[in-house]
Amino acid sequence: MKIFPYKWVRVANGLHVWLSNHYRYSDFGIRDSGEMRYNGRRYVTGATPGTGFIERESESHSYHQFVQKQQAKQRLSYWNMLTGREPSFDKALEEANIALGNVTEQRKRDLLECYVNALTVARKEEYAQRVVRAIKNKMGHRSNQFLSSVIGHYKSKIHQLNHTMDAVEWQVKERCSQETFEAYCEMVDAFTRVAACRRIWQRDTRKRRQFDQVYFDLGVFDYIRSESYLPLMRDNRGWSLYILPDVMIVARSAIDFDVLPLKTLTLVCQELSIVEPTEDMLSSIGDAASMIEIPELNLNFYFNHYHAIRDFVSAMDKLKSTL
């Protein structure tokens, strides 16, 4: 248990620094260095290392509020550190290893093994980043050749860990055929237009009259690496649905998830103009134009556009035909 925000540690021969005990948020293992500067999109970290999403451009005020709420959770707080509410590599590794020891399904085992390996590498990088920050704090605005050389040593280690991370992560492109990957990229492109819809609702089957607003994004799950990121659909239970080339991951947490083959799932697109609207629908989502139903998961999503939804379902069908 962490009690103090800093600890006095030796980081080189003859060098001790005050090292922060706070978790250091970063996009290590999520994207290549410099990608943020290239596209300007912000990575929003999840509650567990290796999870999160890429903020998209949107004119939706409610979406911006949703992102700000997620970002607010990253503010350093002594109380959060003391109570274990900050992300922790040690805790994540312990939980992932326990889950790995209990899993029997091969695909889930493969994903968890990659996650454990990625966490091990990312923990070393996060520690090195905190050391670099601590040395810079000690150096201040003064020039010090010795401290600069130690910083260079740790940055070299971080560079090496980047290459190691590439080797241990689950690489989407390497896990499917070229035909499937091309169809997957087309599906992701279609999904981005769905995610950009001004409003997305989900009907809460537990409450007859309730429609909850949800948000779709491109995200990352357990350090799974994809050039286009993973289509991420959220439901009103707080679950996250990630689409891979051949499966859908229904995640309740980073280690508690189901792996469902896409071939076993049905996505039905329906234009609401040909459906008799109920009074509940008219009062809650009056401008809805279409819906997607996933019967196997008992999910219904409603959108204020139709063509983008139709194109996405068509792209999903094309992807499934390659499996």
Side-chain angles (χ1 to χ4, degrees):
M1 178 180 176
K2 301 175 184 176
I3 299 178
F4 302 105
Y6 293 92
K7 59 182 176 181
W8 186 245
V9 298
R10 175 180 175 273
V11 296
N13 289 331
L15 178 61
H16 288 74
V17 295
W18 285 108
L19 184 71
S20 172
N21 278 327
H22 285 289
Y23 175 84
R24 183 175 178 83
Y25 292 91
S26 76
D27 56 3
F28 175 77
I30 305 301
R31 53 187 175 187
D32 295 326
S33 177
E35 186 182 328
M36 170 63 179
R37 292 189 295 273
Y38 175 73
N39 59 33
R41 295 188 298 172
R42 178 169 53 175
Y43 169 64
V44 182
T45 310
T48 310
T51 63
F53 64 97
I54 304 296
E55 181 185 14
R56 54 182 168 80
E57 293 183 2
S58 174
E59 296 181 358
S60 169
H61 179 64
S62 59
Y63 177 72
H64 289 306
Q65 287 183 319
F66 167 74
V67 173
Q68 289 168 5
K69 184 178 180 180
Q70 303 307 309
Q71 282 287 106
K73 296 177 182 178
Q74 298 184 15
R75 293 174 186 156
L76 297 183
S77 162
Y78 175 71
W79 178 250
N80 287 343
M81 185 199 74
L82 189 65
T83 56
R85 295 179 184 178
E86 283 187 355
S88 166
F89 280 104
D90 291 338
K91 181 180 178 181
L93 268 169
E94 180 183 358
E95 292 177 345
N97 277 308
I98 292 174
L100 184 58
N102 296 329
V103 71
T104 56
E105 184 184 347
Q106 187 58 46
R107 183 61 178 272
K108 188 173 180 179
R109 170 175 288 276
D110 292 342
L111 288 170
L112 283 172
E113 284 179 348
C114 283
Y115 185 44
V116 168
N117 292 334
L119 283 172
T120 303
V121 177
R123 177 171 62 175
K124 296 177 182 178
E125 189 275 345
E126 189 259 359
Y127 177 80
Q129 289 283 11
R130 285 190 285 124
V131 170
V132 169
R133 182 69 267 166
I135 298 173
K136 287 182 176 179
N137 289 340
K138 185 181 185 72
M139 186 165 58
H141 298 291
R142 303 184 306 274
S143 176
N144 187 304
Q145 187 174 357
F146 171 63
L147 295 182
S148 296
S149 67
V150 177
I151 289 175
H153 168 72
Y154 277 95
K155 286 189 173 181
S156 178
K157 289 180 63 174
I158 292 171
H159 182 71
Q160 293 171 7
L161 289 169
N162 267 298
H163 293 293
T164 305
M165 194 67 165
D166 287 339
V168 301
E169 286 182 310
W170 180 283
Q171 301 284 348
V172 167
K173 189 175 184 179
E174 298 174 2
R175 303 279 180 161
C176 62
S177 67
Q178 183 62 30
E179 179 188 14
T180 297
F181 184 71
E182 290 176 358
Y184 179 70
C185 290
E186 292 179 12
M187 182 277 296
V188 174
D189 186 57
F191 178 85
T192 58
R193 293 190 287 275
V194 173
C197 287
R198 183 167 50 86
R199 291 194 183 93
I200 304 173
W201 301 270
Q202 182 197 349
R203 183 164 197 166
D204 193 333
T205 56
R206 299 164 297 179
K207 301 174 183 177
R208 180 182 174 188
R209 297 178 177 273
Q210 183 167 329
F211 289 81
D212 297 319
Q213 189 170 1
V214 293
Y215 305 97
F216 291 3
D217 280 297
L218 293 178
V220 178
F221 179 70
D222 287 4
Y223 287 114
I224 296 175
R225 192 71 175 268
S226 175
E227 288 84 345
S228 56
Y229 299 103
L230 308 179
L232 164 59
M233 308 165 72
R234 300 181 181 91
D235 72 7
N236 54 14
R237 294 168 294 187
W239 295 4
S240 299
L241 287 69
Y242 299 88
I243 305 175
L244 274 68
D246 59 339
V247 298
M248 177 179 288
I249 296 175
V250 181
R252 292 165 288 277
S253 72
I255 58 170
D256 180 15
F257 58 89
D258 299 320
V259 181
L260 308 176
L262 283 185
K263 296 283 280 187
T264 66
L265 298 177
T266 307
L267 272 72
V268 181
C269 174
Q270 181 68 62
E271 188 174 6
L272 293 184
S273 61
I274 62 175
V275 176
E276 186 67 29
T278 65
E279 183 179 344
D280 294 342
M281 289 177 61
L282 288 173
S283 61
S284 302
I285 53 174
D287 60 345
S290 62
M291 67 171 286
I292 288 179
E293 181 182 4
I294 309 178
E296 294 81 3
L297 299 177
N298 194 27
L299 288 175
N300 294 282
F301 294 107
Y302 297 82
F303 309 85
N304 63 329
H305 293 284
Y306 170 67
H307 294 293
I309 315 306
R310 178 200 60 191
D311 294 343
F312 166 62
V313 172
S314 177
M316 280 290 292
D317 290 339
K318 181 180 178 181
L319 171 61
K320 289 163 64 176
S321 71
T322 68
L323 301 176

